[in-house]
Amino acid sequence: MIQYKTEQMTVFESALFQTTSAVIETKDCVIVVDPTWLPHEINEIKQHVQEILNRRNLYVFFTHGDFDHVIGYGAFLELNATFIGSKFLEHHPDKEEKVQMIKQFDHDYYIKRSHDIIFPELDIVVTENEQRIALGETSITCYFAKGHTNDGLFMIVDDSIWIAGDYLSDFEYPYIYESVNDYRDTLATARHILAKHQNLTLVPGHGKTTHHRAEIQRRVEMASSYLDELNAAVKEDSKEALDKLNDKLAFPSDFTAQCHQKNVEIMKRELLL
């Protein structure tokens, strides 16, 4: 479904995990972000792109390599899109594992897709932090965003739209798959972006789009406070405090419990270093 729409951008929201896929229009190009999840949802995004493209160049931007964010790659190959991602995505160590996760998901739910399931091959690779790239007259700036995964990117489009990947959700607390310290660095990057830009529309990978600066700041501080509380609970080895943190996670499930346990394990590991 369409979650958010302006003249410049349409944000689609999947029924699964409130995952977003943004389609951004500029004078000379169309940028699609993480087209996902279910076949009819990806087809809706693709049809929208075909309707508006109008001989403009098409780019597909991947925020990171989690399987739910790269699942729609094959659907856009036939549109001659140019694919953008980080150097860490290009050299992802578990490409085949991500492909197998997509295939297993489809098998579990009897899903058929009309496109091949393959890991993205990139045409434009972000190799430096705060790298500025010209897509014709459209300017994007990409920042490394690590912590959730190692290959994440923030993208700022024409100093007005902020693509955040799996950070700065309105309801998700941090899911740390790689590093607490890197996650803190990414939150520092978020503060840097906020200081540099006064008027941004934020699109998280899961949850609601917002153009309210105070709400974006709230999300940064919510994530930061969670990491501080996690740090304290692990240092104190307090089961009660850890259970309270687990209870804060939205939509409690086996999945969120696993994410909480992963957060605890990584925090313990880094405190021992």
Side-chain angles (χ1 to χ4, degrees):
M1 71 173 188
I2 293 177
Q3 176 207 102
Y4 181 94
K5 188 172 180 62
T6 64
E7 186 175 336
Q8 188 180 12
M9 179 171 66
T10 303
V11 179
F12 295 84
E13 181 184 307
S14 172
L16 301 179
F17 297 96
Q18 297 186 35
T19 315
T20 64
S21 301
V23 179
I24 302 164
E25 300 181 59
T26 73
K27 177 182 177 182
D28 55 353
C29 72
V30 172
I31 305 170
V32 181
V33 180
D34 294 349
T36 196
W37 258 90
L38 300 170
H40 74 276
E41 294 173 333
I42 293 172
N43 286 338
E44 182 183 3
I45 297 165
K46 186 176 178 182
Q47 288 170 8
H48 174 69
V49 168
Q50 290 173 309
E51 289 170 3
I52 67 172
L53 193 55
N54 193 25
R55 291 183 237 171
R56 288 179 285 187
N57 292 323
L58 175 62
Y59 299 89
V60 177
F61 178 85
F62 294 108
T63 60
H64 62 299
D66 279 355
F67 87 95
D68 53 323
H69 292 263
V70 301
I71 199 169
Y73 166 68
F76 284 81
L77 284 172
E78 66 184 55
L79 297 185
N80 296 317
T82 297
F83 298 95
I84 306 172
S86 76
K87 63 181 180 181
F88 305 104
L89 179 67
E90 182 181 41
H91 300 293
H92 199 293
D94 301 312
K95 293 181 181 181
E96 187 54 35
E97 177 186 340
K98 300 302 181 184
V99 169
Q100 290 306 315
M101 290 175 73
I102 297 171
K103 291 181 178 179
Q104 187 61 56
F105 172 82
D106 287 353
H107 290 168
D108 287 344
Y109 295 99
Y110 299 176
I111 292 173
K112 290 185 176 180
R113 299 184 189 272
S114 59
H115 60 83
D116 292 335
I117 304 301
I118 48 181
F119 197 87
E121 294 185 9
L122 303 179
D123 302 296
I124 298 176
V125 179
V126 178
T127 60
E128 299 177 5
N129 191 44
E130 203 165 345
Q131 182 172 333
R132 203 166 181 92
I133 301 170
L135 308 178
E137 295 180 21
T138 302
S139 174
I140 66 172
T141 305
C142 298
Y143 297 80
F144 293 142
K146 298 186 176 188
H148 170 66
T149 62
N150 189 53
D151 59 347
L153 286 176
F154 286 157
M155 175 174 66
I156 309 296
V157 182
D158 281 343
D159 297 321
S160 62
I161 294 173
W162 180 358
I163 301 297
D166 279 2
Y167 300 91
L168 307 184
S169 169
D170 57 320
F171 68 90
E172 272 190 347
Y173 284 87
Y175 291 160
I176 310 160
Y177 297 164
E178 286 291 333
S179 167
V180 176
N181 291 330
D182 285 349
Y183 207 111
R184 289 192 187 279
D185 287 344
T186 293
L187 293 179
T189 297
R191 293 186 179 96
H192 167 73
I193 290 170
L194 272 171
K196 190 173 182 180
H197 302 277
Q198 291 303 307
N199 297 296
L200 286 171
T201 298
L202 173 76
V203 186
H206 302 270
K208 299 306 180 188
T209 301
T210 183
H211 61 270
H212 296 292
R213 185 175 181 83
E215 171 59 14
I216 299 173
Q217 291 173 325
R218 182 193 73 82
R219 296 183 191 188
V220 173
E221 296 314 315
M222 180 179 77
S224 181
S225 295
Y226 170 86
L227 295 180
D228 290 343
E229 291 178 46
L230 179 64
N231 180 290
V234 169
K235 278 185 176 178
E236 295 167 7
D237 195 22
S238 170
K239 183 179 184 303
E240 181 181 0
L242 289 173
D243 286 346
K244 284 183 178 179
L245 279 177
N246 184 47
D247 291 342
K248 281 187 173 185
L249 299 178
F251 303 99
S253 65
D254 289 344
F255 170 72
T256 59
Q258 290 168 8
C259 290
H260 171 69
Q261 187 56 40
K262 184 74 171 178
N263 288 357
V264 172
E265 290 171 3
I266 291 177
M267 180 64 80
K268 285 181 177 178
R269 182 187 71 199
E270 294 191 15
L271 286 174
L272 291 173
L273 292 179

